[in-house]
Amino acid sequence: MSLVYTFVSVIPQEFVYRSFFFKRYQGLTSSYIIFAAISAVTFSFAHFFLNNTLVFILTFFGGILFTSSYKKHGSLWLVSAEHSAYGVWLFTIGLGDMLAFPGGPQ
């Protein structure tokens, strides 16, 4: 389950919301704080279909965290591992259903 989640969900998300987003839109503002907020809001809206306020809030803060990590290290693989670890942790503590992971509580 963790590998499927990582390769099917996390890596594509990180490619779009970190690698592509940074290359394409970082020049929109000279303020890193504004850029990080825009990136986090965009990442949150990618999870909007889950129709859950808590997911929206968690993904906003996750977006800030992952944006900061990507800016600091410049590694898509590192931020993907971090994203995957947090996602698997949420599944492990029983929040998988909220995040639409397969096998979550019914």
Side-chain angles (χ1 to χ4, degrees):
M1 198 300 281
S2 298
L3 286 175
V4 171
Y5 167 67
T6 299
F7 287 101
V8 173
S9 183
V10 170
I11 291 174
Q13 285 181 46
E14 290 307 326
F15 178 77
V16 170
Y17 294 102
R18 254 45 79 191
S19 182
F20 172 77
F21 196 85
F22 263 74
K23 287 179 179 127
R24 180 81 169 131
Y25 299 111
Q26 195 169 16
L28 287 177
T29 178
S30 59
S31 168
Y32 171 70
I33 293 171
I34 291 172
F35 178 76
I38 292 168
S39 177
V41 167
T42 304
F43 183 64
S44 290
F45 274 114
H47 297 82
F48 192 71
F49 73 95
L50 295 170
N51 196 27
N52 186 311
T53 304
L54 181 57
V55 170
F56 195 79
I57 292 167
L58 289 174
T59 55
F60 175 79
F61 287 108
I64 294 284
L65 178 71
F66 303 145
T67 296
S68 298
S69 196
Y70 187 73
K71 173 130 176 96
K72 181 177 181 179
H73 301 288
S75 171
L76 186 64
W77 298 112
L78 179 65
V79 79
S80 293
E82 186 176 18
H83 183 165
S84 182
Y86 282 117
V88 169
W89 174 72
L90 288 171
F91 175 75
T92 302
I93 65 169
L95 298 178
D97 190 46
M98 174 180 77
L99 296 168
F101 293 165
Q106 301 302 320

